Amino acid sequence: MEGDCLSCMKYLMFLFNFFIFLGGACLLGVGIWVIVDPTGFREIVAANPLLFTGAYIMLAMGAMLFLLGFLGCCGAIRENKCLLLFFFMFILLIFLAELSAAILAFIFRENLTREFFTKELKKHYLRNNDTDVFSSTWNSVMITFACCGVNGPEDFEAVPHLLHSSLEEATPEACCQRELQSREGMFVDKEACLTGVERFQNRQGCYTVILNSFETYVYLAGALAIGVLAIELFAMIFAMCLFRGIQ
């Protein structure tokens, strides 16, 4: 009975990790294709900072799942204690990293308020200075999401680096409407935007835009995170049971 249970656990673990292996291989293949594709898709992705970052995240996740599935499959089917131990340690590291990230997100959730971002923007924003990481990141966010500041263009009235005599100097270019929401996109009317014509500016604050964009995915992401943690926990239990059962 014990041998049948061990055999069943072995093949269930192999099947489970085989699907992880296939999923990782698919993500890895898509990530590589997006980055090296010569037909022009790479340029489209590179023009959007979020898509560009997402492509590399997909590549890293694919490689990690590929390796994880491979270790699990080989360890289960060959009943190799060394591979099973590596699999267990790999899963444990991922599990602890995800758990730490969740705890840190809960602890520092108060820093993600509208007031916090507004204060940081007014303190550190240097307008079109792309050599400054903070300013460049904010400009990319405002261009990508077609928004302006945290609450709106009025946030820049109190930015010390923008206190000039004309409205042209007080309005960042990143707040101007573009035909295509990317740094390479042509301005609808740059001069009118910079001189204060509101219909050529992105008037909505980035905090509201981003919050609305991700609000529908918050519960889905939470449920998915709990599901992933549960799967990883069961995978560690199965790996240890199989490890102990191998003579």
Side-chain angles (χ1 to χ4, degrees), residues 138 141-142 145 147 205-215:
W138 258 107
V141 168
M142 291 191 290
F145 288 95
C147 56
C206 292
Y207 191 87
T208 302
V209 172
I210 295 174
L211 200 64
N212 291 339
S213 298
F214 291 103
E215 188 176 17

Side-chain angles (χ1 to χ4, degrees), residues 51-194:
L51 290 178
F52 189 70
T53 305
Y56 279 98
I57 291 174
M58 185 186 298
L59 194 65
M61 287 293 293
M64 185 180 68
L65 290 174
F66 183 87
L67 179 61
L68 191 63
F70 178 78
L71 287 174
C73 284
C74 291
I77 205 69
R78 297 182 62 183
E79 298 186 6
N80 188 305
K81 298 183 80 169
C82 184
L83 287 176
L84 284 173
L85 187 60
F86 270 118
F87 174 80
F88 175 83
M89 295 301 295
F90 198 8
I91 286 277
L92 181 62
L93 285 174
I94 296 171
F95 181 85
L96 292 176
E98 290 171 346
L99 198 60
S100 300
I103 293 170
L104 286 173
F106 179 78
I107 292 173
F108 293 107
R109 69 190 186 282
E110 294 180 357
N111 289 340
L112 301 178
T113 61
R114 185 187 296 270
E115 292 72 23
F116 172 78
F117 286 117
T118 303
K119 180 182 176 181
E120 290 297 301
L121 180 71
K122 291 178 179 180
K123 183 178 179 182
H124 299 292
Y125 185 71
L126 300 176
R127 201 185 178 213
N128 299 321
N129 186 351
D130 286 334
T131 60
D132 178 66
V133 175
F134 183 88
S135 303
S136 179
T137 302
W138 258 107
N139 287 333
S140 295
V141 168
M142 291 191 290
I143 292 169
T144 301
F145 288 95
C147 56
C148 188
V150 178
N151 309 287
E154 63 274 8
D155 288 344
F156 298 104
E157 294 174 4
V159 175
H161 305 281
L162 301 181
L163 292 180
H164 298 281
S165 57
S166 66
L167 282 171
E168 181 175 353
E169 295 296 324
T171 307
E173 288 183 6
C175 288
C176 296
Q177 291 182 6
R178 299 168 185 252
E179 293 177 3
L180 176 66
Q181 290 308 131
S182 72
R183 286 184 178 271
E184 290 72 27
M186 297 292 293
F187 291 99
V188 176
D189 192 329
K190 181 180 175 180
E191 290 184 6
C193 166
L194 294 177

